[in-house]
Amino acid sequence: MTIDIEDLSKEDAGPLSSSSQLVVTLQSSASRKGRSKQERVEELDPDSAVPGTQSIWVKTFGCAHNVSDSEYMMGQLQAYGYRLVSESEKDSAQLWLINSCTVKSPSQSAMATIIAAGKATGKPLLVAGCVPQGDRKAAELKGLSLLGVGAIDRVVEAVEATLAGQQLVLLGRRKLPDLDLPKVRKNQHVEIVPLSTGCLGACTYCKTKHARGQLGSYRPEAIVRRVAAAAADPMVREVWLSSEDTGAYGRDVGSSIAELLARCVAVLPPDGRTLLRLGMTNPPFILQHLDAVAEVLRHPCVFSYLHVPVQSGSDAVLLRMNREYTVAEFRRVADTLLRGVPGLELATDIIAGFPGEPAAVPTQL
């Protein structure tokens, strides 16, 4: 049986090394007779078919944002009573939840291999993330339950339907999932806080845009509240700000990355026990905030690190990529930050052999 929620409602627009690493950062209030649902689950048979008690293996591909999405999904499942298992126990899991990545072919190929293995053993499968969101008609997804990037707050609903033998499709565009959802960290010492989803670019080679869509920023107060809560957790040593384009943050909600970073730094412990790490930014929208970003990167509680992809050293190739900046503008970003932040580690990406690129393309870097 297939249930496609989009047909019913127009409003819907690395593995864990051991289960002992699972840490719920926001606890469920569900309880019965003074005992939590999670405590009751531990007394049940591992092969129990009682709804909300089965074992689930979660496999994540892709970026820090995808990892954060998986952590939120695991948090909700564990709070509801499901038992999360490590990769070493995946064969005994009663459902596999695969959070996919579409930015590189190897990740999607690895996802297809896992799906094939699950189908071969009759394992109930739920595929989430960028692949189903960006290409729901992909051959490997046929007949499977699908959960889009904007529907991670409905993961319990999707899991229940899949375990019941239904095919549930939740790929509509909806409001951003709440940052205060229950969460299980993959690394108990690292809190990943998504700033936004999507971007303002339209790069000719990028599949992520089809999945994550147009820029949708979280309100700054919601992000700062999450950073403050993580910084107050004695187990957390790093807070990662994740985004498809950090520099574009806030342009859709009347804020900016400069304002947000200043507010985030203000809630970090002054003793330096918790450090802040900035995510990837493309050159165009960070240009107007270089001095403010440099100031934040000099802060003793902030990693002196930034990832700024250049992709090509040729303006002609950048134009074909529709990257919306020139080599000179990238140099301005790099030179300003390197001058303004002593010891800065500046990472970049370069695409070689872009379609139409001459064998000996002149570089302006």
Side-chain angles (χ1 to χ4, degrees):
M1 177 181 180
T2 301
I3 303 176
D4 191 332
I5 296 301
E6 290 180 341
D7 294 334
L8 301 179
S9 172
K10 296 299 183 183
E11 296 180 356
D12 281 344
L16 299 169
S17 60
S18 74
S19 57
S20 63
Q21 289 182 311
L22 301 178
V23 179
V24 177
T25 60
L26 292 175
Q27 298 291 334
S28 167
S29 61
S31 63
R32 185 179 300 164
K33 295 183 179 179
R35 304 185 68 187
S36 72
K37 180 176 278 190
Q38 183 62 27
E39 289 173 336
R40 295 198 312 276
V41 168
E42 292 173 356
E43 298 177 353
L44 295 173
D45 188 299
D47 296 323
S48 171
V50 177
T53 65
Q54 293 94 331
S55 57
I56 299 174
W57 174 56
V58 180
K59 174 64 177 178
T60 306
F61 293 98
C63 64
H65 196 164
N66 249 30
V67 173
S68 176
D69 284 353
S70 286
E71 292 177 340
Y72 277 121
M73 289 189 286
M74 290 191 296
Q76 294 169 84
L77 292 169
Q78 182 166 283
Y80 194 77
Y82 288 103
R83 186 169 61 90
L84 304 173
V85 302
S86 64
E87 185 163 10
S88 64
E89 301 174 274
K90 68 179 182 179
D91 290 343
S92 63
Q94 290 161 282
L95 178 140
W96 289 358
L97 168 55
I98 305 163
N99 193 10
S100 62
C101 171
T102 190
V103 71
K104 294 180 181 179
S105 295
S107 295
Q108 191 162 342
S109 297
M111 175 208 72
T113 299
I114 291 177
I115 289 174
K119 286 181 175 179
T121 58
K123 192 76 66 178
L125 300 173
L126 170 60
V127 181
C130 291
V131 173
Q133 188 72 69
D135 186 12
R136 64 179 294 175
K137 296 186 184 300
E140 58 266 35
L141 302 180
K142 185 177 181 180
L144 300 181
S145 289
L146 307 176
L147 189 66
V149 296
I152 62 172
D153 54 351
R154 300 177 71 179
V155 65
V156 171
E157 177 185 351
V159 164
E160 286 183 324
T162 304
L163 285 168
Q166 300 170 344
Q167 181 194 356
L168 186 62
V169 178
L170 296 169
L171 297 175
R173 301 287 184 182
R174 306 169 63 244
K175 68 180 181 66
L176 293 172
D178 197 327
L179 288 180
D180 291 329
L181 290 170
K183 194 171 190 180
V184 170
R185 299 191 194 105
K186 180 179 180 182
N187 183 333
Q188 60 184 321
H189 303 302
V190 176
E191 173 77 8
I192 303 173
V193 181
L195 306 185
S196 59
T197 189
C199 69
L200 294 174
C203 301
T204 55
Y205 57 83
C206 183
K207 296 196 294 182
T208 304
K209 176 76 175 190
H210 296 289
R212 294 285 181 178
Q214 195 71 358
L215 177 69
S217 301
Y218 283 98
R219 300 296 308 181
E221 53 270 20
I223 296 171
V224 173
R225 185 168 61 247
R226 187 79 200 194
V227 170
D233 187 328
M235 295 301 296
V236 174
R237 289 294 174 263
E238 299 178 15
V239 177
W240 295 4
L241 302 182
S242 176
S243 173
E244 278 69 58
D245 186 356
T246 299
Y249 168 78
R251 295 174 71 92
D252 57 326
V253 294
S255 184
S256 69
I257 189 60
E259 175 197 347
L260 177 68
L261 292 178
R263 293 178 63 176
C264 287
V265 167
V267 300
L268 295 175
D271 60 6
R273 69 177 183 272
T274 305
L275 299 180
L276 190 71
R277 182 180 185 271
L278 277 61
M280 186 273 288
T281 182
N282 287 309
F285 299 110
I286 201 71
L287 279 165
Q288 63 186 283
H289 304 300
L290 290 177
D291 291 339
V293 170
E295 182 179 356
V296 168
L297 290 171
R298 290 194 299 268
H299 192 282
C301 295
V302 179
F303 283 104
S304 299
Y305 169 86
L306 194 62
H307 178 200
V308 187
V310 61
Q311 305 300 14
S312 176
S314 163
D315 282 343
V317 175
L318 288 174
L319 184 61
R320 282 196 290 271
M321 292 177 172
N322 200 27
R323 287 290 287 170
E324 300 181 338
Y325 60 88
T326 63
V327 174
E329 287 171 325
F330 172 81
R331 289 180 64 95
R332 179 182 159 202
V333 171
D335 291 345
T336 301
L337 293 176
L338 288 169
R339 279 197 309 268
V341 186
L344 174 67
E345 182 178 344
L346 189 64
T348 194
D349 299 332
I350 296 176
I351 296 175
F354 188 77
E357 180 179 317
V361 62
T363 179
Q364 295 151 282
L365 283 176

